Amino acid sequence: MHGLFLLGCLCLLAAPPASSIFQRPTGTPAPLRLQYLLEPLHPTVHTQRGATATLPCVLRALPHNYRVKWSKVEPANYREDVIIITNGLYHKNYGPLSPRVRLRHSHRYDASLTITDVALEDEGRYRCQLVNGLEDESISLTLHLEGVVFPYQPSNGRYKFNYHEAKRACEQQDSRLATYQQLYKAWTEGLDWCNAGWILDGTVHYPIINSREPCGGRLLLPGVRTYGARDKQKDRFDAFCFTSALQGQVYFIRGHLNFKEAGQACRNHGAAMAKVGQLYSAWKFSQLDRCDGGWLADGSVRYPITAPRQRCGGLPDPGVRSFGFPSKEMRTYGTYCFVGK
């Protein structure tokens, strides 16, 4: 492979002068370019899957005949998707987020957006735009989900996914393709993986902590190494998936089970075999720690370690260990099950 780099309109009366409303803390003056919108004190909102998150957008004054439009910025598709439009009294929701969004509207100047039951695909950049004729202005905010990135490949070996197959594979494992920001953050937290994988924007990367010969050579500095944008149909790599908090529980059933028996054991408890993303989520957010290899829904066998010890793989760092994809007829392992709330 080549090209490796480091890396409805309603007229409203104007409010009193801005100086008498919502004074900002001393020492943090609002930028002059914003006449009506307050610059957010914290432009990034942190949340988890399943939670309720609010993106702040507050007006300092109400101009005549204004509207506020919320949209989600989709840089990979070069577009903005409208979510909600309001004139302060009435509003209309748009798009797939429509059932889960509302305006907080805690006071007449509040146009903040509340998203309920946050989903993995909600992460990203949002824009609150005041539409007021020639005086349009906007602020941008980022919704950041706390989560975990994990590499994923199928049972038939590495570098088998084109982009669309990688995207589907992550979704089948209760996750989605990671963004570059998510992969970079995972690298800063210790993710070291020598196989290149697709991420959400259609580029291909791999994160290296310990430089070594099979992974670009010892002379290259640690970092997120990149092959750049690749052909989404023809080129084949692994995948980097991202998942967040679970709405349920992962637990282990001990036994010497083959794959079919493992699935039945979970169903006997009113559960299903856990997916890879669910096991990673339980490891990350519930501190699940088991030294027992267990079947997962994709046919792999893995086990989560939060407190590394010699008899549990001997590796010095926490992580989800893998035995790969053994024969489904083997009666060697237990199983990890998932039950939703």
Side-chain angles (χ1 to χ4, degrees), residues 130-143:
L130 176 72
V131 181
N132 184 35
L134 298 177
E135 299 179 318
D136 293 359
E137 58 189 53
S138 66
I139 58 171
S140 292
L141 301 106
T142 298
L143 186 66

Side-chain angles (χ1 to χ4, degrees), residues 246-251 269-272 278 337-341:
L246 278 178
Q247 298 299 293
Q249 180 187 5
V250 172
Y251 63 93
H269 287 77
Q278 292 167 340
C337 305
F338 171 76
V339 59
K341 287 183 177 178

Side-chain angles (χ1 to χ4, degrees), residues 35-227:
Q35 181 179 355
Y36 293 104
L37 295 176
L38 286 173
E39 191 78 31
L41 288 175
H42 303 290
T44 299
V45 174
H46 297 266
T47 189
Q48 296 179 357
R49 178 169 55 179
T52 296
T54 297
L55 299 167
C57 183
V58 178
L59 286 72
R60 62 173 69 239
L62 302 179
H64 290 283
N65 302 324
Y66 80 96
R67 290 179 299 156
V68 170
K69 178 175 72 174
W70 275 99
S71 57
K72 189 171 189 288
V73 181
E74 301 287 359
N77 300 319
Y78 304 101
R79 71 171 193 261
E80 288 191 22
D81 294 334
V82 176
I83 300 170
I84 194 168
I85 298 177
T86 181
N87 65 357
L89 291 179
Y90 306 102
H91 69 271
K92 185 174 181 180
N93 292 16
Y94 298 86
L97 269 173
S98 179
R100 297 190 289 113
V101 296
R102 57 180 170 81
L103 295 170
R104 182 173 65 180
H105 205 61
S106 59
H107 51 77
R108 62 190 297 227
Y109 303 101
D110 185 13
S112 301
L113 182 73
T114 295
I115 305 174
T116 61
D117 193 19
V118 170
L120 295 176
E121 59 268 22
D122 296 343
E123 172 151 316
R125 188 159 65 92
Y126 292 75
R127 190 158 75 109
C128 177
Q129 181 182 15
L130 176 72
V131 181
N132 184 35
L134 298 177
E135 299 179 318
D136 293 359
E137 58 189 53
S138 66
I139 58 171
S140 292
L141 301 106
T142 298
L143 186 66
H144 172 77
L145 270 71
E146 300 294 341
V148 57
V149 171
F150 61 93
Y152 189 75
Q153 59 182 223
S155 59
N156 57 341
R158 73 172 193 160
Y159 294 173
K160 301 297 183 181
F161 294 137
N162 67 23
Y163 173 81
H164 306 287
E165 292 165 344
K167 184 174 182 291
R168 185 163 56 250
C170 287
E171 291 167 355
Q172 289 171 346
Q173 297 308 316
D174 193 50
S175 59
R176 71 188 298 238
L177 279 174
T179 65
Y180 181 81
Q181 291 78 9
Q182 290 165 344
L183 181 62
Y184 184 88
K185 183 174 184 290
W187 169 71
T188 66
E189 294 172 348
L191 181 60
D192 181 281
W193 197 254
C194 201
N195 295 345
W198 293 102
I199 63 171
L200 187 61
D201 64 3
T203 58
V204 174
H205 310 266
Y206 64 99
I208 295 296
I209 297 289
N210 302 305
S211 299
R212 50 204 186 272
E213 287 304 328
C215 308
R218 298 180 182 275
L219 298 181
L220 282 179
L221 293 174
V224 177
R225 298 173 183 171
T226 180
Y227 290 112

